[in-house]
Amino acid sequence: MTAAVPSRPTDRFDLTGRTAVVTGAARGLGRAFAVGLAEAGADLVLVDLPGAEGIDATAAQVEALGRRARVCGQDLADIDALPGFVDAVRAEAGPLHILVNNAGTAALERFNEITPASWSHIMRVNVDAVFFLSQRVAEHMTADRVAGRIITITSKNALVAEAGLTHYNASKAAAQLLTETLAVELAPHGITANTLAPGMVETPIDGEFPFDREAFEAAYRERIPLGRYARPDECVGALLLLASDAGAYLTGARIVVDGGVLADQMPRMRFMPPYRNTV
Ligand SMILES: NC(=O)c1ccc[n+]([C@@H]2O[C@H](COP(=O)([O-])OP(=O)(O)OC[C@H]3O[C@@H](n4cnc5c(N)ncnc54)[C@H](O)[C@@H]3O)[C@@H](O)[C@H]2O)c1
């Protein structure tokens, strides 16, 4: 069957009739992704910890756009439960077209303070759950003959290290490579797998970190060429590209949405003469 030729460029981003699963949808980036997918026409399966505060507010925003929102409480660290969880979601929601592996967790700890419990919790949520959810969802996509989309939210920390986050950095690098491998194995089934690597985004993820937030954020902003943290909704455009027909030939790719941080090897701009227009 030949795909219909879109009449407007935005038609390529139309997700009407598709169902998207977003993990970590109660707040932060997950909520922005869920709302963005709903704006593009998708129905949503919203996954977060059982009883997560904020998940009903995300569902209300999705429903206000006229889209279906199913709320599913599931601790993704419970790896053994994930295949059965995905089977139940598929049975209730019908074919799954898009999986956004967004849920993630972090802790700020020096390398010598990291306990086995802390290490393995971060690995379970950021790596094991990403893999075993993707594995089962992809099996349903192939059984349903769905040209699906798997999008894993990694981080600039998948590509460059940052002190105090050994486990987090390692988990995001693992998520990067596992997603790229899925891209290769799933390509014959028409399923794409890509990563979206945000830089610094205004979300509560580091809310419990024991540090001087104001001083850190001021110092960090100076390292960001665009000069500020992203709002969560500023990562949605890249997500919609990876989730829709517009990104049909993108697989095994990584899209970095970091305001230019990784492009800048060192803060030389601060030591250069002031900019003077030459026109
Ligand atoms: N905020 C940033 O600056 C930033 C930068 C780069 C990457 N990221 C990544 O983006 C993703 C979203 O981050 P965020 O900033 O919105 O985080 P957040 O902490 O605001 O939200 C994460 C959500 O995931 C859920 N979650 C955590 N553990 C879970 C579990 N075991 N089971 C089910 N749900 C669980 C939380 O309840 C929460 O609702 C994460 O993967 C994060 O690593 C964030």
Side-chain angles (χ1 to χ4, degrees):
M1 199 176 83
T2 317
V5 178
S7 54
R8 292 169 306 163
T10 49
D11 289 351
R12 296 180 196 278
F13 294 88
D14 185 5
L15 299 177
T16 305
R18 298 188 204 175
T19 298
V21 179
V22 178
T23 67
R27 66 186 201 186
L29 279 162
R31 176 181 289 172
F33 290 147
V35 172
L37 289 161
E39 283 168 349
D43 291 320
L44 267 297
V45 176
L46 306 172
V47 183
D48 211 296
L49 288 165
E53 199 188 332
I55 196 78
D56 291 337
T58 306
Q61 288 186 37
V62 167
E63 283 163 356
L65 293 160
R67 309 316 320 171
R68 181 101 198 239
R70 290 179 172 81
V71 171
C72 299
Q74 173 64 47
D75 182 353
L76 299 172
D78 184 359
I79 304 305
D80 294 337
L82 297 184
F85 170 69
V86 173
D87 293 353
V89 167
R90 161 66 186 84
E92 205 204 307
L96 308 175
H97 302 85
I98 299 159
L99 169 64
V100 184
N101 288 308
N102 166 79
T105 191
L108 185 69
E109 297 168 314
R110 287 182 187 271
F111 81 96
N112 58 330
E113 293 165 351
I114 294 174
T115 61
S118 171
W119 179 274
S120 75
H121 180 67
I122 288 178
M123 289 298 162
R124 271 179 174 259
V125 178
N126 294 3
V127 184
D128 302 13
V130 169
F131 178 71
F132 288 106
L133 267 186
S134 302
Q135 181 192 57
R136 197 68 185 168
V137 168
E139 286 288 85
H140 281 289
M141 286 171 170
T142 56
D144 290 329
R145 301 192 187 288
V146 164
R149 301 277 188 266
I150 296 173
I151 301 138
T152 302
I153 310 307
T154 56
S155 169
K156 62 175 174 38
N157 295 39
L159 306 162
V160 177
E162 185 176 334
L165 295 165
T166 316
H167 33 21
Y168 181 77
N169 300 338
S171 75
K172 291 296 181 180
Q176 175 71 44
L177 256 290
L178 81 80
T179 305
E180 288 181 19
T181 313
L182 288 177
V184 180
E185 290 204 36
L186 292 172
H189 303 283
I191 299 169
T192 67
N194 295 287
T195 59
L196 191 166
M200 300 303 271
V201 189
E202 291 167 1
T203 77
I205 191 168
D206 59 2
E208 317 252 296
F209 285 8
F211 67 169
D212 181 343
R213 177 172 316 277
E214 221 169 284
F216 174 78
E217 291 189 1
Y220 211 106
R221 271 195 297 276
E222 289 203 19
R223 291 299 318 273
I224 304 173
L226 283 182
R228 59 179 178 82
Y229 282 30
R231 296 186 315 273
D233 66 279
E234 291 179 297
C235 296
V236 171
L239 182 91
L240 294 181
L241 173 61
L242 298 175
S244 66
D245 292 349
Y249 201 68
L250 274 164
T251 199
R254 52 182 84 149
I255 300 187
V256 179
V257 184
D258 72 345
V261 172
L262 294 193
D264 194 18
Q265 187 194 131
M266 59 171 66
R268 185 182 291 282
M269 286 277 279
R270 267 188 264 159
F271 304 97
M272 288 172 64
Y275 168 77
R276 288 203 321 269
N277 188 281
T278 56
V279 176

